[in-house]
Amino acid sequence: MIVPCGRNDIAAVMCGADVTPEGAPVSLGDVRLLAPVRPGKLLGVAKNYADHAAELNEGVPEEPSVFSKLVTAVTGPSGPVIRPAYTQELDYEGELAVVIGRRLRGATPGEAMDAVFGYTIINDVSARDLQRTEPQWTRAKGGDTFAPMGPWIVTADEIADPQNLRVRTWVNDDLRQDGHTSRMITPIAELLAWCSQSFTLEPGDVIATGTPAGVGRGFDPPRYLEPGDRVRIEIEQIGSISHEIV
Ligand code: MG
């Protein structure tokens, strides 16, 4: 059940705004879930799993390779994800996403986890052809609907160890990714601390923590997304998101 609380700004709630239940509870089946947050910043990490770097025939970066996705790419967990005419190589990346709840700047890894509000699921949708042909990934990673997110935020107190979660992605009925957050090259605490040396993380910011092996480009021949395909990403202790490509 969903309990209405008269607020639609989760970042304000993170900052201590009062949350008072109002009205009758609503059944989950009677609502369409939107993205649980509109991030101020939406960041991603390239090649944060060694098996994914290997399937791309690329090495593992010595430092975290952090990039920005445009926040206008964010859409709800049910999508749809629009494949633009300018790409023929649309790909999925199932990822654990960290939602920041407290301002974080110049933090150590030991301090960083206190700033985590919770966790959600994201598909870091990527146009591989544009990643090859354009030096910046703004379009390749930032197209409208390239960041379906949800289905909700599980607060940090509910997840004992975010580095101990199975991550799976299906395309239609085909299991493509079966990874585990224990295999991240740079774990979440180090990632947040590293980011916070360069820029301030603020309540509502979201960091997608990288994808395990099994993306479409990793197959020979590659298996990119086509209109009509349905992507489903499931992460232990969070739930799943599922969206169609149109
Ligand atoms: Mg990614």
Side-chain angles (χ1 to χ4, degrees), residues 8 19 27 42 64 73 84 107 114 127 151 191 239 241:
N8 59 9
V19 179
S27 169
L42 175 56
D114 285 343
L191 201 53
I241 63 175

Side-chain angles (χ1 to χ4, degrees), residues 46-91:
K47 291 173 278 187
N48 200 25
Y49 287 79
D51 56 356
H52 173 59
E55 74 178 344
L56 301 178
N57 295 315
E58 292 176 13
V60 170
E62 285 184 17
E63 297 272 321
S65 179
V66 174
F67 59 90
S68 287
K69 278 176 87 82
L70 298 176
V71 297
T72 38
V74 171
T75 191
S78 307
V81 168
I82 301 163
R83 189 183 80 167
Y86 59 71
T87 178
Q88 298 303 311
E89 299 184 3
L90 197 70
D91 209 347

Side-chain angles (χ1 to χ4, degrees), residues 93 95 124 141:
E93 297 187 351
E95 305 192 12
D124 176 18
K141 295 273 194 178

Side-chain angles (χ1 to χ4, degrees), residues 43-48 52 67 69 92-95 122-126 128 131 137 141 208-212 215:
L43 305 166
V45 191
K47 291 173 278 187
N48 200 25
H52 173 59
F67 59 90
K69 278 176 87 82
Y92 51 88
E93 297 187 351
E95 305 192 12
I122 193 167
N123 184 357
D124 176 18
V125 177
S126 306
R128 301 294 183 209
Q131 275 189 286
W137 291 354
K141 295 273 194 178
T209 56
T211 201
V215 301

